[in-house]
Amino acid sequence: MIQRLREVCDHPALITGKREPVLGRSEKFDLAVEKISSIVEGGEQVVLFSNSLVMLDLFEAVLGDSGISYMRLDGSTTDRQGVIDAFNRGEADVALCSIRAAGQGIELTAANHVIHVDRWWNPALEDQATDRVHRIGQNKTVYVYRIQVTDTLEERIDALLESKRQVSAGILTPATAGARSWTREELLEILSPIE
């Protein structure tokens, strides 16, 4: 049920199976397309991540119709490195990526815009996907957009993800902060004999 509620936030085609017309049925989808068009018109490249292969199909249809060049990277991609290299050479304006297939092991540094059209349950995986653009060699500012529908399940997912981030930061930050400075009293307590 939760998955269905998430899908209806993306586009009704994910629920009904009716893919035509694509535009004009989902404000979220239409906003993502507008954002992509604006980025491309500005002469920059964008990577779009989605959990749904059907969403990637819908973006392919709209981008193909509008003449915006794109490449797609998902679990069925056979020549991953060839697709990545072509994108980084500027042979496509948009990289449509499955978050699970493109979350690690690739570099898409030609882009400096990342759109997460739907959220993943694990914020670390989402950050890892964003990092595909934010790699060594990236010399531009990277902009990250997370698109969600207000007053829906997506807002609750976003709040849950934020609390997960805070828990993770509370655990990892002290562990990676380096040497801890001890007060004299703490050192004396640690070194005192056990009674």
Side-chain angles (χ1 to χ4, degrees):
M1 181 60 139
I2 290 174
Q3 183 61 27
R4 288 308 220 188
L5 289 171
R6 290 179 70 202
E7 289 172 347
V8 79
C9 291
D10 283 347
H11 198 287
L14 277 69
I15 301 293
T16 65
K18 180 183 173 208
R19 295 190 182 194
E20 293 293 329
V22 178
L23 294 172
R25 295 172 58 203
S26 165
E27 287 184 31
K28 178 183 189 176
F29 185 88
D30 293 355
L31 176 65
V33 170
E34 287 175 29
K35 179 55 88 177
I36 290 168
S37 297
S38 172
I39 292 166
V40 170
E41 284 173 15
E44 297 180 318
Q45 289 172 278
V46 59
V47 177
L48 180 136
F49 288 104
S50 179
N51 301 307
S52 167
L53 297 180
V54 175
M55 277 294 278
L56 296 181
D57 293 343
L58 297 174
F59 280 106
E60 272 191 293
V62 170
L63 295 177
D65 288 347
S66 66
I68 294 175
S69 61
Y70 67 90
M71 48 79 54
R72 180 169 171 161
L73 192 59
D74 62 33
S76 68
T77 305
T78 54
D79 181 15
R80 285 171 51 100
Q81 195 57 53
V83 170
I84 293 162
D85 291 344
F87 181 76
N88 285 331
R89 285 192 303 268
E91 295 176 22
D93 295 316
V94 182
L96 300 174
C97 300
S98 159
I99 197 165
R100 286 177 271 192
Q104 54 187 302
I106 64 170
E107 293 183 9
L108 298 166
T109 54
N112 66 317
H113 295 267
V114 177
I115 298 175
H116 290 280
V117 82
D118 41 39
R119 305 298 302 271
W120 188 244
W121 291 110
N122 181 344
L125 183 63
E126 193 174 272
D127 290 344
Q128 193 175 45
T130 299
D131 288 345
R132 302 308 96 207
V133 174
H134 225 307
R135 307 299 293 164
I136 294 172
Q138 178 58 271
N139 55 12
K140 299 176 250 175
T141 301
V142 175
Y143 301 95
V144 180
Y145 312 94
R146 290 178 174 91
I147 301 175
Q148 67 183 26
V149 180
T150 57
D151 298 326
T152 66
L153 177 72
E154 286 191 321
E155 281 190 336
R156 292 184 183 198
I157 291 170
D158 188 58
L160 175 66
L161 293 176
E162 187 54 39
S163 76
K164 281 184 168 186
R165 278 187 205 285
Q166 290 173 2
V167 168
S168 177
I171 293 168
L172 295 178
T173 303
T176 59
R180 185 188 193 291
S181 58
W182 298 89
T183 66
R184 183 177 192 281
E185 290 75 23
E186 289 173 325
L187 284 173
L188 288 173
E189 184 179 336
I190 289 171
L191 297 172
S192 66
I194 298 175
E195 296 178 16

